[in-house]
Amino acid sequence: MKEIHINHYQGLGSLNFIKDILNINNAKRVFMVTGMNSFNLSTVHQTINSYFQERAVCHFNEFSHNPKLYDVCRGIDLLKQFNADIVVAIGGGSVIDMAKLINTLAAQSNRYTDIIKKKSQIMSKGVPLIAIPTTAGSGSEATKFAVVYIDGVKFSLEHIYLLPDYSIVDPMLTTTMSAHLTAITGLDALAQAIESYWSIRSTDESKSYAAQAISMILPSFQTAVHEGIIQAREKMSYAANLAGKAINISKTTGPHALSYALTSQLNIAHGHAVALTLGKFFLLNSDLENVELNEMRGREYLKVTLNELYKLLSCKDAAECSKKIYDLMENVGVESNFNNLGITKKWHIDCLISNVNLDRLNNNPVKITKGILEDIFRCH
Ligand SMILES: [Zn+2]
């Protein structure tokens, strides 16, 4: 298999590179994937359209949030009919994941459900894909993963062919985000960086990306949410991309494992769902006397790693970090109390636990039992 890497462009105005990329690839038929409403309303729409002049464009934007397989299949049919020679994804994490899924699955001869359920493999690469995030959150433009839901059950597809060929991180595109969207996408980026740092699959490289991301997010996050100034948005955009590069190596851990149940069962937005248990996981992962480890590098290694993480958050211990996360959520206007989100009954909790993603839970440095899960959902 040929080595694949992303050609990455970033900075204010870097959206212009799209012209060069289209020319280099001699692209004549562009399959464009965007969100349903946001794109048509944005000024980016006009700029992008001017780049596409003299090229045929097929625009796919009719799909719901959090990619569903039936929407992916509609996209695949369109892509094939149109005979695209390049795919351009402009949007948040769901939009970029959708484009990755359509482009890659369209190139396979095996049944899509078999591939998603890991009964057969991805064998071929799709056409070149340009990923252009309009939020500072998921880092999907930097990863070989894509999330897809089948009948409410979340699957994470992973393959090097899902990695975009090009990524353009132009912070100008994030200026139309509301304060709430800036808050929940920023929390996702922060959680991804923190989880990557303590993940059992972390490497020196992934930890360096994660540390840079945390150091950029903390001083800029609240300014980006409350004032929306471009310098803060710029830092958030680059940090989200770095956090994406970090999880591309290390994957995510406990908070992400639990978040998919909160999203599919209660419709809580991804970044919000992830942040809900992040503070709790600081306490769980640092309680090293009373738990079994998944981390093969041992207790001493984990202690050192967690201490480094506390320093990155300018805190002295796990309790301070946990409080910092909850304070941050409150400051940016994101509800952190499970009761207030409607999780009040035992069957709510049982339902959430039965939908937890075990794959990502096993990346968590300490083992999480069913009893611990009940405790997490019962109180924050
Ligand atoms: Zn995430």
Side-chain angles (χ1 to χ4, degrees), residues 137-139 147 184-185 187-189 191-192 195 247 252 256 259-260 270-271 274:
S138 77
V147 170
I184 55 174
T185 51
L187 286 169
D188 186 25
Q192 290 183 167
E195 288 180 53
I247 61 159
T252 52
H256 268 73
S259 76
Y260 301 110
H270 175 68
V274 163

Side-chain angles (χ1 to χ4, degrees), residues 132-268:
I132 308 174
T134 57
T135 61
S138 77
S140 175
E141 77 282 358
T143 76
K144 55 179 188 275
F145 313 118
V147 170
V148 59
Y149 288 82
I150 305 177
D151 301 327
V153 180
K154 176 256 179 190
F155 293 87
S156 184
L157 209 55
E158 174 187 350
H159 196 277
I160 193 73
Y161 286 160
L162 287 164
L163 200 66
D165 301 82
Y166 301 90
S167 59
I168 302 178
V169 175
D170 187 338
M172 195 51 85
L173 302 188
T174 67
T175 54
T176 50
M177 273 198 295
S178 66
H180 183 65
L181 190 57
T182 308
I184 55 174
T185 51
L187 286 169
D188 186 25
L190 179 61
Q192 290 183 167
I194 290 170
E195 288 180 53
S196 178
Y197 205 87
W198 67 36
S199 165
I200 65 164
R201 294 168 190 258
S202 72
T203 63
D204 288 345
E205 188 186 359
S206 72
K207 281 165 104 173
S208 159
Y209 295 141
Q212 289 176 67
I214 295 166
S215 305
M216 285 168 100
I217 291 169
L218 290 175
S220 312
F221 189 23
Q222 292 169 59
T223 317
V225 172
H226 297 302
E227 298 169 41
I229 59 171
I230 191 67
Q231 289 85 350
R233 290 202 182 277
E234 207 175 351
K235 288 278 184 332
M236 292 301 290
S237 288
Y238 304 154
N241 182 258
L242 283 165
K245 285 166 83 167
I247 61 159
N248 190 47
I249 297 169
S250 69
K251 300 189 179 173
T252 52
T253 65
H256 268 73
L258 271 58
S259 76
Y260 301 110
L262 292 161
T263 297
S264 64
Q265 303 298 309
L266 295 163
N267 227 358
I268 297 174

